[in-house]
């Protein structure tokens, strides 16, 4: 009976919690690029999240976390020919890097977003800010027409999104960014610079901005409680979660340099933010 890709790589989970018990195997994983490459080929979408987390844990125990992230980043570029798919699919590289930046940037996220999100959830984002007409129930309209509700909610979403974006990009916050997170962005930048015939300077900026928002800030904005950046007991309500999701859509498109159009027509009201 032929073993599945899941069977062949599943034991990597156990290695993460006892890396020194499997020291030789852990060293092989961290030093032999063929192992990292093979894992990228073998890991299914279902395995990617679990295996990615295990790779990060092993790499950090062995002091090789950034090395593994660099090699997986290089592999991600090799396996994707389009700028629009690099770090956008649920590949092993995408999941591993997501776990890595979450691990090395957890305290930083609390500094950047903790107090701001707490304030927003207790004040500005208490009320629904829906802009999709198909979701606007009479209760959400509050005696307004759909057109007026969309206009007003869109303006408030843009105001709050600007608050969050200004915080993320403030000089003080940028200066406090952890070295490991900077290095990950530098890996992306270096690959683009070394392959200028394939990646323009605009592509380079979009890839870095898209990565840092998609894989680092936006997940923490949508689910701040899972990142430990909110006080115990504060959890966004379903409608607040919707508000936060709409805001991350805006911030993501801003970082990608793309306006809303046919794909999500209802978001066009927020294009002035972009």
């Amino acid at each position: 009976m032929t073993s599945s890709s899941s069977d062949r790589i599943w034991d990597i989970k156990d290695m993460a919690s006892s890396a020194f018990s499997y020291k030789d195997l852990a060293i092989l994983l961290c030093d032999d690029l063929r192992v990292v490459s093979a894992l990228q080929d073998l890991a299914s979408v279902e395995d990617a999240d679990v295996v990615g987390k295990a790779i990060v844990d092993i790499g950090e125990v062995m002091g090789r976390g950034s090395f593994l992230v660099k090699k997986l980043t290089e592999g991600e570029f090799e396996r994707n020919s389009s700028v629009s798919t690099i770090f956008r699919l649920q590949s092993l590289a995408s999941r591993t890097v997501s776990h890595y930046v979450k691990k090395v940037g957890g305290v930083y996220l609390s500094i950047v977003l903790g107090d701001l999100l707490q304030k927003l959830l207790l004040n500005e984002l208490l009320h629904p800010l829906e802009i999709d007409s198909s979701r606007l129930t009479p209760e959400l309209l509050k005696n307004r027409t759909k057109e007026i509700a969309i206009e007003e909610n869109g303006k408030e979403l843009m105001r709050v999104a600007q608050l969050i974006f200004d915080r993320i990009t403030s000089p003080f916050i940028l200066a406090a960014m952890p070295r490991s997170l900077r290095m990950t962005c530098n890996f992306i930048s270096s690959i683009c610079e070394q392959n200028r015939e394939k990646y323009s300077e605009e592509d380079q900026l979009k890839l870095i901005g898209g990565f840092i928002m998609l894989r680092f800030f936006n997940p923490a904005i949508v689910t701040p409680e899972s990142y430990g950046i909110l006080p115990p007991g504060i959890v966004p309500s379903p409608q607040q979660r919707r508000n936060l999701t709409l805001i991350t859509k805006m911030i993501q498109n801003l970082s990608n340099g793309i306006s809303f159009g046919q794909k999500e027509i209802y978001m066009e009201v927020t294009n002035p933010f972009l």
Side-chain angles (χ1 to χ4, degrees):
M1 179 176 176
T2 303
S3 60
S4 67
S5 63
S6 296
D7 295 331
R8 292 196 295 271
I9 63 177
W10 199 251
D11 286 345
I12 195 172
K13 292 190 302 180
D14 298 325
M15 287 176 59
S17 59
S18 55
F20 287 109
S21 298
Y22 294 91
K23 187 173 181 180
D24 291 339
L25 189 55
I27 291 174
L28 181 65
L29 172 67
C30 293
D31 288 351
D32 194 329
L33 303 186
R34 292 173 298 177
V35 176
V36 177
S37 179
L39 283 172
Q40 285 185 283
D41 292 332
L42 289 172
S44 65
V45 173
E46 293 75 18
D47 292 331
D49 193 61
V50 173
V51 176
K53 186 177 186 304
I55 288 175
V56 170
D57 290 342
I58 293 168
E60 287 298 282
V61 169
M62 302 301 293
R64 301 285 277 169
S66 62
F67 170 82
L68 289 174
V69 167
K70 179 180 180 181
K71 295 310 168 187
L72 284 165
T73 298
E74 291 171 352
E76 178 74 359
F77 274 79
E78 291 171 1
R79 286 168 170 77
N80 291 276
S81 58
S82 172
V83 171
S84 63
T85 58
I86 295 172
F87 285 124
R88 300 305 172 93
L89 307 177
Q90 295 304 314
S91 64
L92 178 61
S94 292
R95 299 311 306 147
T96 302
V97 174
S98 292
H99 284 299
Y100 178 74
V101 295
K102 180 179 180 180
K103 191 179 187 75
V104 301
V107 174
Y108 178 65
L109 279 173
S110 295
I111 295 172
V112 179
L113 298 172
D115 64 321
L116 179 58
L117 285 180
Q118 182 178 347
K119 176 176 177 260
L120 291 174
L121 291 172
L122 294 176
N123 296 286
E124 284 93 332
L125 295 181
L126 276 175
H127 307 293
L129 298 174
E130 187 56 66
I131 54 176
D132 185 345
S133 60
S134 66
R135 290 171 172 255
L136 282 170
T137 62
E139 181 183 2
L140 295 180
L141 286 173
K142 297 180 179 179
N143 298 318
R144 299 172 295 177
T145 64
K146 284 190 175 183
E147 290 76 15
I148 291 176
I150 290 171
E151 181 182 359
E152 292 179 349
N153 291 346
K155 287 181 179 178
E156 183 63 7
L157 282 172
M158 287 190 284
R159 186 185 72 81
V160 175
Q162 191 66 55
L163 287 175
I164 295 175
F165 187 75
D166 287 346
R167 171 66 67 87
I168 291 173
T169 58
S170 72
F172 170 78
I173 292 300
L174 291 175
M177 182 178 287
R179 182 172 180 270
S180 296
L181 192 54
R182 290 176 181 271
M183 286 177 61
T184 305
C185 293
N186 187 57
F187 295 155
I188 297 172
S189 180
S190 296
I191 292 172
C192 291
E193 290 173 357
Q194 292 166 14
N195 297 273
R196 189 56 79 199
E197 72 286 351
K198 188 173 182 180
Y199 305 108
S200 66
E201 290 185 7
E202 183 179 355
D203 291 335
Q204 182 176 344
L205 292 174
K206 286 182 179 180
L207 283 166
I208 295 172
F211 160 76
I212 202 70
M213 293 302 175
L214 180 65
R215 295 297 172 187
F216 187 62
F217 284 117
N218 280 350
I221 292 171
V222 175
T223 57
E225 72 281 7
S226 69
Y227 282 73
I229 58 178
L230 290 178
I234 298 182
V235 178
S237 67
Q239 190 54 58
Q240 286 180 319
R241 189 91 66 196
R242 172 66 176 168
N243 292 342
L244 292 171
T245 298
L246 292 172
I247 288 169
T248 57
K249 286 178 180 288
M250 296 160 59
I251 294 175
Q252 189 64 51
N253 268 33
L254 178 63
S255 66
N256 293 339
I258 300 172
S259 296
F260 291 106
Q262 292 184 344
K263 185 177 180 181
E264 292 178 302
I265 296 177
Y266 69 91
M267 293 294 298
E268 285 186 329
V269 68
T270 65
N271 274 342
F273 171 75
L274 310 178

